[in-house]
Amino acid sequence: MIVIMRDGAAVKEISGVIRSVESAGGQAHVLNSGQRVVIGVNGPGIETTSKQLGALAGVREVVTSPPPFQLASRLFNPDDTVIKVGKVAIGGGTFTIIAGPCSIESEEQLMKTAEAVKTGGGDMLRGGAFKPRTSPYAFQGLGLKGLKLLAQAGQAFDIPVVTEVLDTRDVSWVSEYTDVIQIGARNMQNFSLLKEVGKTNKPILLKRGMLSTIEEWLNCAEYILNGGNTHVILCERGIRTFETYTRNTLDISAVPAAKELSHLPVIVDPSHATGKISLIGPTSLASVAAGANGLTVEVHCNPKEALSDKDQALTPAQFSDLSIKVRALYKFMSTQADNANDQP
Ligand code: PEP
Ligand code: MN
């Protein structure tokens, strides 16, 4: 249920609603955008209080059947959410490029790749220290050693870092080394993990599960938002279909669909979506055209030697070429949008 307050509602009217919700055993999530105050309400049986809430001072409207992902929905927040990560913003009027190796392998590999990301136009550095591998015999990541290297590279190149967490027991200490926590496709519906990262105030990059619908994905974002963490970035990374030529099938329509349904920023991972270097450029450009707020792409200083995902890692030169092209397209599209807005 969503309670929409009247414009200019008084603080005591807002707290009156929160008190009523809490005394009925519910939870209230307040979104105050300056002009508009909206309160997301949930809890068992709370719907029965809708009439009472509607009668409270300062309440304009009570929406009794919002989508199940109410806090993630456009109904709750019609404006695009912009997530700040240090000096970098994701969402709104910027295009954000996250890049780096699939796995952190060594100091030399990470430092060289980080330099390539920074000089090649990347805004954030990614790298896995805990790797969800199909085979238990494949490289599993460097763990703590990798996290320390990632934090070191982030500091050396003054660039925020992103890394995946696989286990609820690791969330609090992993957060100390990273600026953004990634929840991978395989863990999208690991509800314990979602609840755990919902307790942190780190931005969460939530990848779409390879077998998940858009609605399931948004419900997973809701778990994090409901935990009190409002910084969620959605990432489309391809889904499983009957196609085998590509590693997954990039669901390009999921980008505008998720943005239509949700205020959260949406980025695309063309590396895991395609699994092929030759397809990363075209799908990245398609992502810009579809309205994505950014990309996360795998880059390695020496892809042939990569310990994971070597067929989908760009070289530094390929990466800087890609970032020039996607930024040019993004700029062109923004100019077109500005021109259209200027029409009488
Ligand atoms: C990754 O980003 O390295 C990764 C494992 O991605 P996904 O969870 O999308 O497969
Ligand atoms: Mn990978």
Side-chain angles (χ1 to χ4, degrees):
M1 185 161 59
I2 295 177
V3 177
I4 303 171
M5 302 299 294
R6 290 212 175 92
D7 288 352
V11 174
K12 72 170 196 286
E13 292 172 331
I14 300 165
S15 39
V17 173
I18 299 170
R19 248 195 330 274
S20 297
V21 170
E22 289 176 349
S23 62
Q27 261 188 304
H29 294 271
V30 181
L31 177 79
N32 189 342
S33 64
Q35 279 184 319
R36 189 172 177 269
V37 174
V38 178
I39 306 173
V41 174
N42 60 53
I46 198 75
E47 292 76 20
T48 56
T49 62
S50 67
K51 277 217 175 80
Q52 279 156 262
L53 294 176
L56 292 177
V59 172
R60 190 180 86 198
E61 190 188 344
V62 177
V63 182
T64 49
S65 44
F69 46 89
Q70 63 176 14
L71 302 176
S73 75
R74 283 272 178 203
L75 207 61
F76 184 63
N77 184 4
D79 302 323
D80 288 350
T81 286
V82 179
I83 293 170
K84 295 263 170 62
V85 188
K87 289 176 234 157
V88 177
I90 306 186
T94 49
F95 193 81
T96 310
I97 302 179
I98 304 170
C102 179
S103 302
I104 300 157
E105 300 166 7
S106 68
E107 181 170 358
E108 193 195 357
Q109 171 250 13
L110 188 65
M111 286 308 208
K112 276 191 182 161
T113 311
E115 183 172 14
V117 166
K118 179 81 186 200
T119 58
D123 300 299
M124 296 179 63
L125 175 67
R126 60 147 287 150
F130 296 97
K131 294 307 301 175
R133 305 304 302 281
T134 305
S135 162
Y137 308 120
F139 177 59
Q140 302 285 308
L142 295 181
L144 175 61
K145 187 172 166 217
L147 291 175
K148 287 187 173 164
L149 291 174
L150 186 64
Q152 183 190 323
Q155 267 168 16
F157 294 99
D158 188 24
I159 187 167
V161 297
V162 186
T163 202
E164 178 168 354
V165 70
L166 297 180
D167 194 312
T168 48
R169 291 167 297 187
D170 299 331
V171 169
S172 67
W173 69 270
V174 168
S175 337
E176 289 169 26
Y177 293 92
T178 193
D179 300 294
V180 174
I181 299 174
Q182 177 170 313
I183 299 295
R186 290 155 192 82
N187 268 317
M188 185 201 83
Q189 281 187 315
N190 180 338
F191 300 116
S192 312
L193 193 55
L194 298 176
K195 285 180 184 166
E196 204 58 37
V197 298
K199 291 182 202 156
T200 73
N201 60 6
K202 289 275 165 179
I204 308 298
L205 197 167
L206 178 66
K207 290 195 146 191
R208 179 179 177 188
M210 59 188 93
L211 299 169
S212 303
T213 64
I214 295 169
E215 183 164 333
E216 285 164 341
W217 184 27
L218 295 175
N219 272 302
C220 291
E222 189 78 7
Y223 264 89
I224 302 168
L225 299 171
N226 188 41
N229 185 343
T230 56
H231 317 294
V232 181
I233 303 150
L234 298 167
C235 177
E236 160 61 38
R237 48 76 73 203
I239 50 173
R240 280 259 168 100
T241 66
F242 52 80
E243 183 53 66
T244 55
Y245 181 67
T246 47
R247 184 174 179 183
N248 291 285
T249 297
L250 175 60
D251 182 4
I252 199 73
S253 61
V255 175
K259 288 178 63 102
E260 201 166 85
L261 293 167
S262 175
H263 53 88
L264 299 171
V266 181
I267 68 167
V268 171
D269 175 347
S271 306
H272 292 87
T274 66
K276 282 187 162 62
I277 289 165
S278 61
L279 302 182
I280 291 175
T283 50
S284 296
L285 293 170
S287 304
V288 178
N293 298 105
L295 295 174
T296 175
V297 61
E298 289 187 340
V299 178
H300 196 288
C301 55
N302 185 6
K304 283 198 194 82
E305 302 294 320
L307 295 182
S308 58
D309 288 351
K310 62 170 180 262
D311 297 330
Q312 60 186 47
L314 300 179
T315 62
Q318 287 168 330
F319 172 65
S320 76
D321 184 54
L322 176 79
S323 75
I324 290 168
K325 286 186 179 139
V326 295
R327 291 205 192 279
L329 179 60
Y330 185 77
K331 194 166 170 207
F332 172 76
M333 289 191 45
S334 311
T335 322
Q336 294 299 104
D338 289 348
N339 289 347
N341 290 339
D342 288 347
Q343 298 291 318

